[in-house]
Amino acid sequence: MEIGMLPISASKRGKLLAAGYTTLHSILRTSTTHLARDIEVSESEALEILNFATRSSDLDKSSGSNANVIHGGQTAWDMLNEERFSSLITTSCLDLDNILGGGINCKEVTEIGGVPGIGKTQIGIQLAVNVQIPLDYGGLGGKAIYIDTEGSFMVERVLQIAEACIEDLSEYSHHFYKDNQAFGVKMHPNSILENIFYFRVCSYTEQIALVNYLDKFVTEHKDVKIIIIDSVTFHFRQDFDDMALRTRLLGEMSLKLMKLAKNFSLAVVMLNQVTTKHIEGSFQLTLALGDSWSHSCTNRIILYWNDDERHAYIDKSPSLKSASAPYSVTSRGIRNSTSSSKRIKMV
Amino acid sequence: MAPLNSLSKEYPLIDSNFQTFCASHAIYSVEDFLLHDLDALFASAANHSNSERLKQGIHQLLLIVDALHPPVLNGLQLIEDAKRNKHVFSTGCEGIDALLGGGLRVGQLTELVGPSSSGKTQVCLMSSSTVAKNKCSVIYLDTGNSFSPQRIAYFVGQSSDYVSVNQNILDRIICYPVFDVYQMFDLLHQLKINLRSQIVKSDHQVQVLIVDSISSLITPILRGNGPQGHALMISSGFLLKQLAHEHNIAVLASGRSATSTRLFV
């Protein structure tokens, strides 16, 4: 194992190489004091380097275990069984749920993008409310984190959508439990508002710092089931001089979000803006942040206008078919489109 | 290269006398020793008082170096090895198999490059289901939460007759979520060690390793402060190729199209 593969800083690596320590074995043979003296760092830093080295060499000593199951992996059969019990967050629009296979999947990162005014923030708010539907009604009963970068989160609208959701739930319970009068919905719009954790970020450094902090936050609040970032592009689009830096920061941020989604089994929804791209002589609408960002999500949904009607189209997914579905934004939130020629189009 | 004084603990022949002798020829580390003219060194050792001991020290160093290099193979041995061990695995898609001359070849690293939504993950999933159906194990490193067991079950179910066989087939595909490049290194090293000590059982032998996608691990570290990111990219390519050749595995890595990561293969 080479020194280059230890997660230490470049200057320490340079010092190690200059002093003649090129392999892990050579580091392990010295003690902390010798190492500190040879490469002129403090004792605590030398101890840290030795810890990294011993941890890597401990992997060498693990033997006798089943050759196939290295720590951390799962077979496809186990994952398939787990998926059957995994939970989906409904979007309150039946057509949209149908093309998504039931709703937004937990453990996945979904990117939703569209022109301004198409309803991205509305979908974000609807999902933040829907994640709190209690388990008895087929929901997840979880909390939501809403990260707002544009300032488009209106609390009055959230209240409106929350009240509409509770009305729908009580109507549903009324239909199914006609005899049981005691089965009332014990939710109040204020409790829905209480379960949405709202963060406002004003610069890209704040956004990255927040994503780093989310790991600790979600460990403390284990019932968070969805993280909505609205929108992930805003701070990265204007006056960013160094494009290479932007690509790197975005790549790192997307990996951290993927890790959060996988480790805590929650859904991450990123809302994105659009830009025009010049392809083969014509201008086409495409999602912002470039080609490199397009690999940062598991599923991608593009929202667009089709003759006065709003449609959603699945652009990228490992397991869902490409399809588009209409939806509408009403005073009660996102609902099915009410046009007469409504049909799911399989593309 | 290690400095000579670190070898003195294990090899008593390389004591301080020997080191002073070497220092007089400006040899401070094993690297300097290898670059120096050995005949001249022997000649000057013969002129010293304890020349026997010095010559033994030089021989000791040469022995240490000899013990560490990999075995030298000739062309005939390589052909034997290729015929016996280096099989070809079909990817399940005829067009791609035709392009690759049969499919994924053991001992080689195949890179799959394309823009977003072009089907790279689908090819990876299809290859892993085809390989699993042919009774070999697959290790799938997933960096973007895009491993879909549902899709694999669909591919497998498409051409097998009984439903109960599915569990055996799906059990051969093992998925590891990897989110940074150091995690991938740890995993690959552990795999190397496990493979070295593995008892060969044809049903559970790992023959295919799929990394989807390697570019998302490398992009965050590339072009940063200094050549460190580039060095990590090259060493990860080297490690994958070494795994492929020494342990008879076919490696498939997918990535987005970009000129910087095309230096990979």
Side-chain angles (χ1 to χ4, degrees):
Chain A
M1 173 113 156
E2 297 303 320
I3 300 270
M5 298 183 195
L6 289 177
I8 52 181
S9 74
S11 56
K12 288 210 195 90
R13 190 193 325 273
K15 284 186 191 165
L16 280 171
L17 287 173
Y21 294 98
T22 47
T23 65
L24 213 60
H25 203 42
S26 49
I27 301 186
L28 288 173
R29 268 195 293 214
T30 64
S31 67
T32 326
T33 29
H34 282 143
L35 194 63
R37 193 191 55 205
D38 282 340
I39 61 177
E40 290 155 28
V41 293
S42 68
E43 288 255 349
S44 55
E45 286 179 339
L47 188 62
E48 203 187 323
I49 296 177
L50 268 178
N51 281 342
F52 278 131
T54 34
R55 193 202 66 188
S56 321
S57 79
D58 270 348
L59 296 176
D60 285 9
K61 293 189 191 107
S62 65
S63 57
S65 54
N66 184 359
N68 282 341
V69 188
I70 307 175
H71 182 66
Q74 271 185 310
T75 64
W77 179 253
D78 293 336
M79 288 178 78
L80 186 65
N81 289 338
E82 260 180 33
E83 252 196 11
R84 291 212 184 107
F85 302 114
S86 80
S87 20
L88 301 156
I89 305 174
T90 171
T91 56
S92 290
C93 165
L94 193 60
D95 294 330
L96 203 50
D97 280 349
N98 280 345
I99 62 169
L100 285 172
I104 304 277
N105 222 327
C106 283
K107 279 196 186 184
E108 280 183 7
V109 175
T110 311
E111 187 182 354
I112 302 181
V115 292
I118 193 111
K120 302 187 296 289
T121 308
Q122 302 300 311
I123 292 189
I125 296 178
Q126 182 73 62
L127 288 170
V129 170
N130 283 356
V131 76
Q132 301 176 38
I133 297 178
L135 291 158
D136 302 332
Y137 294 88
L140 277 106
K143 301 194 179 159
I145 292 180
Y146 197 99
I147 301 177
D148 189 6
T149 58
E150 295 175 339
S152 44
F153 187 80
M154 295 277 105
V155 188
E156 296 84 358
R157 180 67 175 143
V158 184
L159 197 58
Q160 211 181 17
I161 294 185
E163 282 170 350
C165 181
I166 295 182
E167 276 174 26
D168 284 347
L169 284 182
S170 52
E171 205 184 300
Y172 170 86
S173 76
H174 225 52
H175 277 268
F176 274 86
Y177 303 105
K178 285 196 190 84
D179 330 317
N180 199 345
Q181 294 298 330
F183 217 97
V185 182
K186 298 175 191 72
M187 275 165 58
H188 193 265
N190 285 352
S191 68
I192 293 193
L193 290 179
E194 258 180 23
N195 288 337
I196 302 181
F197 297 108
Y198 175 79
F199 292 93
R200 174 85 168 95
V201 288
C202 304
S203 72
Y204 78 88
T205 36
E206 278 183 40
Q207 194 172 339
I208 295 177
L210 181 59
V211 172
N212 290 345
Y213 171 65
L214 276 178
D215 194 54
K216 206 165 82 163
F217 188 84
V218 179
T219 324
E220 286 164 22
H221 298 89
K222 288 242 187 266
D223 40 4
V224 167
K225 285 287 171 212
I226 189 170
I227 298 178
I228 300 160
I229 308 184
D230 174 16
S231 62
V232 76
T233 14
F234 189 67
H235 293 300
F236 287 93
R237 280 187 94 177
Q238 44 228 45
D239 23 88
F240 223 98
D241 307 317
D242 189 358
M243 278 297 152
L245 178 68
R246 191 180 91 162
T247 317
R248 258 182 294 127
L249 291 175
L250 286 174
E252 237 181 274
M253 191 174 76
S254 72
L255 279 177
K256 292 213 178 77
L257 289 170
M258 288 278 183
K259 195 172 178 179
L260 268 176
K262 190 80 182 198
N263 289 347
F264 295 105
S265 288
L266 40 87
V268 177
V269 175
M270 303 192 293
L271 303 177
N272 201 352
Q273 298 165 350
V274 287
T275 173
T276 40
K277 195 156 78 156
H278 190 89
I279 305 176
E280 295 159 14
S282 72
F283 286 100
Q284 265 187 33
L285 228 60
T286 155
L287 292 187
L289 293 179
D291 283 331
S292 46
W293 181 246
S294 49
H295 292 254
S296 64
C297 58
T298 314
N299 298 323
R300 193 180 313 128
I301 302 172
I302 299 190
L303 309 174
Y304 62 99
W305 284 103
N306 190 356
D307 311 321
D308 284 348
E309 225 187 5
R310 294 178 161 90
H311 281 248
Y313 169 68
I314 297 198
D315 185 50
K316 170 187 166 187
S317 165
S319 57
L320 299 168
K321 267 205 265 262
S322 248
S324 78
Y327 68 98
S328 68
V329 179
T330 66
S331 61
R332 301 168 69 84
I334 305 279
R335 294 289 185 271
N336 275 347
S337 158
T338 46
S339 84
S340 49
S341 60
K342 188 182 64 163
R343 221 178 7 155
I344 298 182
K345 270 186 302 196
M346 289 292 171
V347 177
Chain B
M1 290 276 172
L4 283 177
N5 47 12
S6 63
L7 293 170
S8 57
K9 277 185 232 144
E10 286 175 34
Y11 304 99
L13 277 174
I14 307 183
D15 55 357
S16 45
N17 272 341
F18 185 72
Q19 285 174 32
T20 342
F21 167 68
C22 290
S24 64
H25 288 270
I27 298 179
Y28 296 102
S29 68
V30 180
E31 187 179 15
D32 297 336
F33 176 78
L34 288 174
L35 292 172
H36 200 91
D37 183 2
L38 283 177
D39 287 336
L41 203 64
F42 269 117
S44 96
N47 294 340
H48 264 252
S49 43
N50 45 351
S51 60
E52 273 310 308
R53 201 150 160 84
L54 288 179
K55 282 191 188 155
Q56 280 178 347
I58 300 179
H59 278 297
Q60 174 76 71
L61 266 184
L62 286 173
L63 267 176
I64 300 172
V65 170
D66 263 340
L68 289 174
H69 71 73
V72 182
L73 298 170
N74 63 29
L76 198 61
Q77 286 169 322
L78 281 175
I79 282 229
E80 293 275 331
D81 178 52
K83 270 196 231 161
R84 212 182 326 127
N85 295 333
K86 311 286 200 240
H87 315 294
V88 168
F89 287 103
S90 158
T91 57
C93 174
E94 282 171 5
I96 298 185
D97 281 346
L99 275 178
L100 288 173
L104 299 172
R105 187 169 291 272
V106 165
Q108 282 182 357
L109 167 60
T110 311
E111 191 182 5
L112 197 64
V113 166
S116 171
S117 289
S118 48
K120 304 187 290 293
T121 307
Q122 296 300 309
V123 171
C124 292
L125 292 174
M126 179 123 214
S127 309
S128 40
S129 56
T130 315
V131 170
K133 267 192 282 189
N134 293 338
K135 295 200 169 56
C136 288
S137 272
V138 182
I139 289 194
Y140 195 105
L141 298 185
D142 180 18
T143 68
N145 288 353
S146 30
F147 182 75
S148 163
Q150 232 179 338
R151 197 82 175 117
I152 300 250
Y154 174 74
F155 285 137
V156 168
Q158 238 183 350
S159 40
S160 79
D161 301 320
Y162 359 81
V163 178
S164 62
V165 181
N166 280 358
Q167 177 172 6
N168 283 338
I169 299 180
L170 287 176
D171 266 341
R172 290 190 201 117
I173 306 176
I174 306 166
C175 173
Y176 296 89
V178 182
F179 299 108
D180 75 79
V181 69
Y182 298 111
Q183 206 182 347
M184 181 182 76
F185 280 139
D186 282 346
L187 208 75
L188 290 177
H189 275 286
Q190 200 160 12
L191 178 64
K192 210 161 50 153
I193 288 148
N194 281 355
L195 284 173
R196 264 190 219 145
S197 54
Q198 188 184 15
I199 309 162
V200 173
K201 278 189 288 181
S202 58
D203 212 30
H204 289 289
Q205 198 173 12
V206 173
Q207 291 260 286
V208 178
L209 172 69
I210 300 182
V211 186
D212 174 26
S213 63
I214 192 136
S215 58
S216 55
L217 291 178
I218 293 184
T219 326
I221 50 169
L222 213 54
R223 280 177 295 177
N225 33 1
Q228 180 183 342
H230 204 84
L232 278 173
M233 175 175 92
I234 302 290
S235 50
S236 53
F238 176 75
L239 189 58
L240 286 171
K241 282 189 263 195
Q242 193 184 33
L243 260 178
H245 183 71
E246 282 177 12
H247 300 278
N248 296 328
I249 297 180
V251 183
L252 175 65
S254 83
R256 63 173 180 88
S257 45
T259 39
S260 49
T261 48
R262 251 191 237 136
L263 295 170
F264 188 60
V265 172

